[in-house]
Amino acid sequence: MAATTHGSGPLPDSADDRPVTIAREESSRGSVVLRRRHDDHAGEVWELITNGIFIMDSLETTTERLLASAALRAVATPTAPGRHPARDSLSVVAAGLGLGFTVRELLSHDQVGRVDVVEIEPAVVSWIRTGLIPPTDGVLADPRVRTHVEDIRRWLPQRAEASIDILALDIDNGPDILVHLDNEEVYESGFLATVKRTLRPGGVLATWSATRSPVLRNRLEQTFGYCEEIRRPVIREGRGFDYFLYVASDTHATDAWP
């Protein structure tokens, strides 16, 4: 997640709004930092910084939450020809924990029976688990959640064929703007084929991107058969940005897409 990221735009620099570092960890991938600042309208705001890049904050989380809800609508819609029946207890993988808002949204839906959270940074898991991020405190304690401190590229190939209903993928900015260059692999055809193998019939891959990516959409269509591009404009620090979600499946349910 880089220049146009989940929280793209200038960081606050006034004395009153200057972010305060709450926690910091270093790993072989670089630094990961949790910061807090004050917003005149929202109050306390938490920020996630990776390798000095402003990744996201708790002020603007609409697309993180939409990543979950759009995928759930897609997998649960039974009306289109060839659509598999809606399932009562969905198995979901959330790849990339962030500040926890996608997981929180997933858990707000009764049809979600299990969420496997796969996050490569142990510090991020620890911060949410210990309550350092109050808006998502408790999400990892939900009995439906299993947390795995692993790389999704290594974890997913070990899953059984046709074993999950949804993969919500948000580990970087999309294929065109990467914080960690190794993450390019998750947007390539080989890994996408692994996702398809792991999904049940009618299952869904939903992924976040900071920019429109025709190349990614084309790969998803070639792999799954159908991909919907969802554009969401957001306003940050008085500036407008377009973020994108790509929701891919082996069936096309026209009423699934917001």
Side-chain angles (χ1 to χ4, degrees):
M1 307 175 193
T4 50
T5 67
H6 287 218
S8 56
L11 293 178
D13 57 8
S14 70
D16 291 340
D17 293 340
R18 187 170 297 137
V20 175
T21 296
I22 303 302
R24 179 187 183 99
E25 293 289 340
E26 300 284 343
S27 74
S28 60
R29 291 170 298 280
S31 65
V32 56
V33 178
L34 180 65
R35 304 195 310 196
R36 186 183 67 227
R37 65 181 174 87
H38 178 77
D39 179 85
D40 288 340
H41 301 290
E44 297 300 293
V45 176
W46 284 262
E47 302 175 344
L48 186 62
I49 314 295
T50 297
N51 289 340
I53 298 170
F54 185 35
I55 302 300
M56 64 177 298
D57 65 20
S58 60
L59 183 61
E60 168 51 59
T61 64
T62 55
T63 53
E64 287 87 357
R65 291 181 281 119
L66 182 59
L67 183 68
S69 59
L72 287 166
R73 281 194 292 271
V75 80
T77 302
T79 55
R83 193 74 195 166
H84 297 273
R87 300 185 175 101
D88 294 329
S89 184
L90 297 171
S91 177
V92 182
V93 174
L97 178 56
L99 294 177
F101 287 95
T102 297
V103 175
R104 191 182 73 174
E105 178 66 26
L106 287 167
L107 295 172
S108 73
H109 294 263
D110 291 340
Q111 70 265 42
V112 173
R114 175 176 175 135
V115 180
D116 284 283
V117 177
V118 184
E119 168 57 52
I120 198 170
E121 295 288 355
V124 172
V125 173
S126 175
W127 296 339
I128 291 182
R129 185 169 279 156
T130 58
L132 283 182
I133 306 167
T136 52
D137 185 20
V139 295
L140 297 183
D142 188 291
R144 291 172 290 173
V145 173
R146 306 290 184 275
T147 305
H148 313 272
V149 181
E150 293 193 47
D151 187 331
I152 187 64
R153 298 172 301 164
R154 309 294 171 252
W155 184 86
L156 193 67
Q158 301 175 48
R159 301 309 100 196
E161 182 175 349
S163 60
I164 65 175
D165 297 294
I166 292 171
L167 174 59
L169 183 67
D170 187 8
I171 65 169
D172 214 305
N173 276 334
D176 302 317
I177 304 174
L178 295 169
V179 173
H180 296 289
L181 295 180
D182 289 348
N183 287 338
E184 183 178 16
E185 183 181 337
V186 303
Y187 307 107
E188 294 179 341
S189 298
F191 183 79
L192 297 178
T194 298
V195 175
K196 184 178 181 182
R197 178 192 67 81
T198 310
L199 290 174
R200 293 172 179 145
V204 168
L205 167 63
T207 186
W208 193 96
S209 181
T211 59
R212 173 174 275 125
S213 181
V215 172
L216 175 59
R217 182 175 185 178
N218 182 60
R219 287 176 185 163
L220 290 168
E221 288 175 342
Q222 290 181 344
T223 301
F224 294 91
Y226 180 75
C227 176
E228 181 75 3
E229 178 186 88
I230 303 172
R231 179 182 70 87
R232 278 295 179 267
V234 300
I235 303 297
R236 299 198 57 88
E237 308 292 337
R239 299 168 58 193
F241 299 91
D242 287 337
Y243 295 154
F244 292 85
L245 304 180
Y246 291 92
V247 184
S249 180
D250 60 359
T251 52
H252 177 184
T254 55
D255 57 347
W257 316 103

